[in-house]
Structures are given as C-alpha cells and as structure tokens.
Amino acid sequence: MSLKAPSHAIFALWTGLIRANADLQARIETALQAKGLPPLAWYDALWEIEKAGTEGIRPFALQDRLLLPQYGLSRLIERLVKAGYVERRACAGDGRGQMLHLTGEGARVRAAMWPVYETTLTGAVEARLSAAETVDLARLMQRLLG
Amino acid sequence: MSLKAPSHAIFALWTGLIRANADLQARIETALQAKGLPPLAWYDALWEIEKAGTEGIRPFALQDRLLLPQYGLSRLIERLVKAGYVERRACAGDGRGQMLHLTGEGARVRAAMWPVYETTLTGAVEARLSAAETVDLARLMQRLLG
DNA sequence: GTTATATTAATGCAACTGCATCTACATAGG
DNA sequence: CCTATGTAGATGCAGTTGCATTAATATAAC
C-alpha cells in the first residue's frame, strides 16, 4: 500500500504550480503586449473559432475549452466582435443561439500572435528543463488533472 | 548533448499547468466561500503578517512573497484593514512607511481558513497522485522555476 | 395547444485590476 | 542648506470580473 505524501510536499507542489503559472503567463503577456498584440486569452478564443471553419461554432461549445464562465465568454466575444476579429451570425435552427466566425483580420492577428506565443513559451521552458524532464512534468500534470 | 523537447510536449505541459492551477484554485476558493471565509489571497497576506509577529512588517517586504504588484498589495491591505484583520501603525524611522500588524480577529480568521485550505488542497492532490509522484512533480516544478 | 421547465446568451451592479500618476518622505551631491 | 534623484505607498480612471438576474427561445409534460 502506498504512503501519503507529506503535506509539505503538496504545498511545495502547489506554490510551485502558482509561481510557474504566473511566471510563464507574465512572460507571454509581456511579449504579446510588446508587439502590440492582444492578450493571451484572445488567442485561444480566436484559435478555437478559426478551427471551426466555415461551419462556425456556438458560444456554449467554447465554454469548456476556454475555461471561462458563461458571462466571461459572452463578454470576451463582445470585445472580439468590437475589435472586428469575430462575426456573430444568426443560428439556423436555434433562435437563441449564434454562430461565431473568424474574420480575415481575426485570422491575421491570430497568426501574428502564434510565433510570439510559441517562442516565448518554448524558450522559457527549454531554458530550464531537458526534453525528458518536460515530458515527465507534462505526464505528471496530466495525472494531477485526473 | 540533450535533445530539445518537442513543442507538443511543452504545450501539453503548459495547458496542464493552466488547468491544474485553475482546478485547484477553484476548489479552494469554493471551499472557503462555502464556509463564509475570505478568498485565498487573503490567507497568504494574513499569514505573512502573522509570522512577522509584534515586529510588524512593511508592505514592500510583502510584495515579493505575495506575488502582487505594488498597487495590488496597497489595495489588499486597505481591504484587510477595513475588515478589521490588519492594523497599520506608523513606522519608526521612516515617515513614508507603515508597519502592518495582525489583529486578534485577523488571527482568528486566518486560523479558521487553514484547515479548509489544507484539507481541500491535500485531498485533491492525494486523490490523484501517489506520494512519490507528488514529490517528483514538486521537484520538476521547482526546476521549471529556475 | 398550454403550461412548466431548461437552455442560450446578455446585462446591471458592485468589486477588482492594470496603468499611469501623484504625494510624501528619504538620501545623495553639491 | 538646497536641489536632484530615489523609494514607499496611495489613487483616478478605464477596463474587467463575479454574481445574480433577465430575456428569449427551446423542449417536455400534460
């Protein structure tokens, strides 16, 4: 039978998690901001909408993927629309709903964000972890998520 | 010489980090809120101030430990003072500064938060990771932090 | 069809955050 | 002493978030 982890190990994990998250997030946001690009949260939304293609996608379907509450998503979409990156279209078959579509400008901005996002993140991780450690850490993190 | 981790492993790590952080944070905040206790951010501040004892502590000294910007800390302290959990006292030798002290009520609330915090966090982690995995994960996270 | 319940999305309001700036005091250089 | 620069902390404002509620439509029960 397995022993329980001592509380201090769990708290070391927890504080490490918080700090690593804050550190990486800050690096990415700073890099994006330095290039005059939108915040990271927009990237994920634009990407999910872009993947939906000509079909479009319903807001409620984005909710789980984006880890946002309903009103948070509603307002994020509102901003994306106002910025001209996303279009709302009526939803055939459900009068309550809407289909979201990426505009050309939205695609352009998403594409511009990607290399900044990617190089900042991989740069920061590779500076500190070997390939093997990265894989191990990713695997353990998945286990932590159940 | 070591190989670079493939980008997908780094992104798996990154999304795992975000989700694990959000998941644990949400559990703790929910548990605290369910007991009518203040948010998690208050705990750390109260605890640091409590550790400072009768000496008290200067706000700028809390900044690094609490991972807050200067104005964020200023306002957190403002709320803690208004709630009656913290006292500001004049700072001998530096007219700009102040010394922060925990009140009895502050200590009581901090103490009430602890078991909720602790059991929620350890419960969530122990449900998914063995002791060995927890230690490994904590160690790798430290490495990620440089 | 009518009523009850559920789902999609938006919104009023208060609290909170980020950014830039400001005030007050401290320290250094002349 | 006086001025210049640095540091501690607060704050105005605009933008964002959380919570609760609302509006509109859909589905289920009768």
Side-chain angles (χ1 to χ4, degrees), chain B residues 2-3 8-9 17-19 41 47 53 61-62 73 77 82-83 86-87 93-94 98 100 121-122 130 132 135:
Chain B
S2 71
L3 293 169
H8 76 80
L17 195 65
I18 290 171
R19 280 170 193 274
W47 180 226
L62 283 177
L73 180 57
I77 292 169
K82 189 150 63 183
V86 167
E87 245 182 52
D94 190 340
Q98 57 193 250
L100 303 176
L121 178 61
T122 61
S130 71
V135 170

Side-chain angles (χ1 to χ4, degrees), chain B residues 41-56:
Chain B
W42 289 32
Y43 182 84
D44 297 320
L46 293 174
W47 180 226
E48 290 296 334
I49 297 171
E50 182 164 346
K51 280 192 292 187
T54 51
E55 284 289 300

Side-chain angles (χ1 to χ4, degrees), chain A residues 14 117 128 133 143-144, chain B residues 14 117 128 133 143-144:
Chain A
W14 172 232
Y117 184 9
R128 292 172 175 147
E133 286 171 328
R143 286 198 33 81
L144 177 55
Chain B
W14 172 232
Y117 184 9
R128 293 171 173 147
E133 286 172 326
R143 286 196 35 81
L144 177 56

Side-chain angles (χ1 to χ4, degrees), chain B:
Chain B
M1 98 144 258
S2 71
L3 293 169
K4 290 204 321 189
S7 188
H8 76 80
I10 293 178
F11 271 82
L13 163 55
W14 172 232
T15 61
L17 195 65
I18 290 171
R19 280 170 193 274
N21 193 65
D23 177 76
L24 292 174
Q25 184 114 13
R27 281 168 196 272
I28 296 168
E29 295 290 8
T30 302
L32 288 170
Q33 198 165 335
K35 290 234 159 54
L37 292 166
L40 184 50
W42 289 32
Y43 182 84
D44 297 320
L46 293 174
W47 180 226
E48 290 296 334
I49 297 171
E50 182 164 346
K51 280 192 292 187
T54 51
E55 284 289 300
I57 188 170
R58 298 284 296 273
F60 75 91
L62 283 177
Q63 234 166 278
D64 323 308
R65 308 189 201 192
L66 295 185
L67 222 52
L68 282 174
Q70 182 272 320
Y71 57 82
L73 180 57
S74 174
R75 278 162 171 156
L76 174 54
I77 292 169
E78 179 181 54
R79 280 170 244 146
L80 293 173
V81 169
K82 189 150 63 183
Y85 299 164
V86 167
E87 245 182 52
R88 283 189 236 249
R89 295 192 199 148
C91 179
D94 190 340
R96 296 167 302 183
Q98 57 193 250
M99 298 305 296
L100 303 176
H101 295 265
L102 206 63
T103 64
E105 182 62 8
R108 219 166 303 127
V109 168
R110 210 274 314 156
M113 292 176 80
W114 171 243
V116 179
Y117 184 9
E118 207 264 339
T119 65
T120 304
L121 178 61
T122 61
V125 174
E126 283 169 355
R128 293 171 173 147
L129 297 181
S130 71
E133 286 172 326
T134 302
V135 170
D136 281 0
L137 187 48
R139 191 184 55 78
L140 286 169
M141 201 75 79
Q142 281 311 309
R143 286 196 35 81
L144 177 56
L145 282 166

Side-chain angles (χ1 to χ4, degrees), chain A residues 38-115:
Chain A
L40 183 51
W42 289 33
Y43 182 86
D44 298 320
L46 292 174
W47 179 228
E48 291 296 334
I49 296 170
E50 182 165 347
K51 280 193 292 188
T54 54
E55 285 287 301
I57 188 168
R58 298 283 297 272
F60 74 92
L62 283 176
Q63 231 166 283
D64 322 310
R65 310 189 200 192
L66 296 185
L67 223 51
L68 284 173
Q70 182 272 323
Y71 58 81
L73 180 57
S74 174
R75 279 164 170 156
L76 175 54
I77 293 169
E78 179 181 53
R79 278 170 245 148
L80 293 174
V81 168
K82 189 151 60 180
Y85 299 163
V86 167
E87 244 182 53
R88 285 189 237 250
R89 295 192 198 145
C91 180
D94 190 339
R96 296 167 301 183
Q98 57 192 253
M99 299 304 297
L100 303 176
H101 295 265
L102 207 63
T103 65
E105 182 62 9
R108 217 166 304 127
V109 168
R110 211 269 322 150
M113 293 176 80
W114 171 243

